[in-house]
């Protein structure tokens, strides 16, 4: 089993010891309920670093809805088992009380990149993400940190934060791990009933369909949205939140497709919100 570090002092001691031995430190921040997507990040970290730290912390600061925070799955025993299969070296499981002992007054913001996509629908979400990631970076002080392309906006925002603030860490993006039917793995998939789980595949299907139209030469984003969008309305229990074609760096909507783009969508299946994205052309993801 990896070392379990429930406090800041414990993880600092563990990582300091590893660093003093000359080990490079890889870091995978998560909110737990670990699945094969998280494991892929850990495998990459294992491959590239001497010492691997995973954090498990359901960060209240990034939840815009209390019901989402309350029902977020918490599965620490299974998560520790999963971490031991890689194996990682240490698992940091801080408490909210220790990370936020009083009102947080200092925040990290990356405004322009958070106005579109999820940022438009989840007020304060990315500020919560960039602030907790900064805190975790300051505690763990990793050489490399691993994030999934599944959360493409989060990855872009963190890259920009690290560049703009000269944070001494390399940010590494890892491709999305999917179920055989295309659904991206997500901790929130556990909330889906078997019927909802089936209809959820509409999201990757629509993204794939949009990419196919670009492959065939369509260059108008609105034409693609018009052709593909109605597919979401076929099911009563699915609600489309957004379906956008954006510049992969600025995340601003693109009308005339002249270079690589990110096709991103968010849907609600019953009470569960799911997000996904693909790059066009395929395989253009920046690692
Ligand atoms: P979370 O626990 O949902 O905050 O995710 C922790 C990290 O795992 C984030 O960097 C996510 O982008 C990444 N991640 C989540 N799902 C997947 C997936 N299906 N494939 C690859 N990475 C993922």
């Amino acid at each position: 089993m990896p070392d379990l570090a429930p406090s800041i002092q414990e993880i600092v001691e563990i990582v300091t010891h590893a660093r003093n031995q000359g080990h490079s430190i890889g870091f995978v921040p998560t909110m737990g309920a670990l699945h094969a997507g998280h494991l892929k990040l850990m495998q990459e970290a294992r491959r590239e670093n001497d010492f691997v730290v995973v954090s498990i912390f359901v960060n209240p600061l990034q939840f815009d809805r209390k019901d989402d925070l309350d029902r977020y799955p918490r599965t620490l025993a299974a998560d520790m088992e999963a971490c031991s299969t890689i194996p990682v070296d240490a698992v940091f499981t801080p408490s909210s009380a220790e990370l936020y002992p009083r009102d947080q007054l200092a925040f990290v913001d990356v405004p322009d990149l958070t106005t579109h996509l999820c940022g438009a629908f989840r007020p304060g979400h990315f500020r919560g993400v960039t602030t907790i990631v900064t805190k975790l970076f300051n505690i763990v002080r990793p050489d490399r940190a691993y994030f999934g392309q599944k959360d493409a906006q989060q990855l872009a925002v963190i890259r920009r934060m690290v560049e703009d603030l000269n944070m001494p860490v390399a940010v590494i993006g890892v491709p999305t791990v999917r179920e055989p039917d295309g659904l991206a793995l997500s901790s929130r998939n556990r909330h889906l009933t078997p019927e909802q789980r089936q209809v959820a595949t509409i999201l990757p299907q629509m993204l794939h369909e949009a990419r196919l139209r670009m492959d065939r030469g369509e260059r108008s984003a609105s034409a693609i949205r018009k052709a593909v969008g109605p597919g979401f309305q076929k099911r009563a229990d699915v609600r489309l939140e957004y379906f956008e074609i954006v510049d992969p760096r600025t995340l601003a909507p693109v009308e005339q497709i002249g270079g690589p783009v990110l096709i991103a969508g968010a849907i609600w299946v019953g009470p569960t919100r799911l997000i996904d994205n693909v790059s066009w052309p395929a395989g253009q993801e920046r690692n």
Side-chain angles (χ1 to χ4, degrees):
M1 276 286 173
D3 276 342
L4 180 61
S7 70
I8 295 175
Q9 191 189 333
E10 282 163 287
I11 196 66
V12 167
E13 277 172 13
I14 289 169
V15 176
T16 303
H17 181 72
R19 194 176 298 108
N20 287 345
Q21 292 187 310
H23 292 336
S24 59
I25 313 292
F27 179 42
V28 182
T30 81
M31 297 204 298
L34 302 179
H35 52 63
H38 297 114
L39 295 186
K40 182 88 170 94
L41 269 57
M42 294 181 207
Q43 280 157 1
E44 287 300 298
R46 180 78 279 166
R47 208 166 54 77
E48 296 181 337
N49 301 275
D50 304 314
F51 196 87
V52 176
V53 178
V54 170
S55 66
I56 297 177
F57 179 60
V58 182
N59 174 34
L61 210 58
Q62 73 189 68
F63 282 79
D64 50 314
R65 292 177 13 254
K66 191 175 176 307
D67 61 317
D68 189 24
L69 173 62
D70 289 345
R71 73 177 191 139
Y72 201 85
R74 288 154 171 94
T75 60
L76 183 59
D79 291 350
M80 285 301 287
E81 284 289 336
C83 289
S84 71
T85 64
I86 300 296
V88 309
D89 298 291
V91 180
F92 178 38
T93 57
S95 66
S96 274
E98 198 187 10
L99 280 183
Y100 301 116
R102 56 193 167 184
D103 276 356
Q104 182 84 9
L105 291 184
F107 297 94
V108 181
D109 252 319
V110 188
D112 278 17
L113 289 182
T114 53
T115 48
H116 300 288
L117 308 177
C118 295
F121 295 92
R122 302 190 67 189
H125 167 69
F126 284 109
R127 186 167 98 148
V129 169
T130 43
T131 301
I132 188 64
V133 170
T134 301
K135 284 163 77 84
L136 293 171
F137 281 178
N138 285 339
I139 293 165
V140 175
R141 292 192 288 135
D143 297 288
R144 300 182 191 84
Y146 296 78
F147 295 88
Q149 282 161 0
K150 150 102 177 4
D151 300 279
Q153 187 170 24
Q154 169 174 283
L155 177 57
V157 166
I158 289 169
R159 280 194 203 285
R160 186 61 188 253
M161 170 186 88
V162 163
E163 285 167 22
D164 281 8
L165 296 178
N166 303 93
M167 293 185 176
V169 55
V171 174
I172 290 145
V174 178
T176 303
V177 177
R178 298 177 179 283
E179 301 279 8
D181 66 1
L183 184 69
L185 296 185
S186 163
S187 303
R188 290 186 175 86
N189 292 354
R190 303 173 186 236
H191 297 320
L192 302 172
T193 64
E195 298 75 34
Q196 290 173 337
R197 166 66 188 79
Q198 268 200 322
V199 294
T201 55
I202 194 158
L203 179 54
Q205 281 164 8
M206 295 288 115
L207 299 172
H208 186 74
E209 168 71 20
R211 181 156 73 182
L212 213 60
R213 284 172 188 266
M214 293 179 203
D215 285 341
R216 294 196 192 119
E218 180 59 77
R219 291 293 173 268
S220 158
S222 51
I224 292 169
R225 288 159 48 104
K226 225 182 264 165
V228 173
F232 287 104
Q233 269 114 55
K234 278 195 199 129
R235 300 290 307 228
D237 41 358
V238 175
R239 184 169 70 76
L240 177 64
E241 187 176 87
Y242 68 76
F243 174 62
E244 297 281 353
I245 297 167
V246 300
D247 181 292
R249 273 166 202 270
T250 65
L251 305 183
V254 169
E255 180 37 47
Q256 201 56 29
I257 299 159
V261 290
L262 189 73
I263 313 164
I267 63 171
W268 288 85
V269 185
T272 304
R273 182 175 180 275
L274 302 175
I275 61 170
D276 198 357
N277 68 88
V278 298
S279 293
W280 182 85
Q284 286 291 302
E285 292 86 1
R286 179 184 162 201
N287 294 325

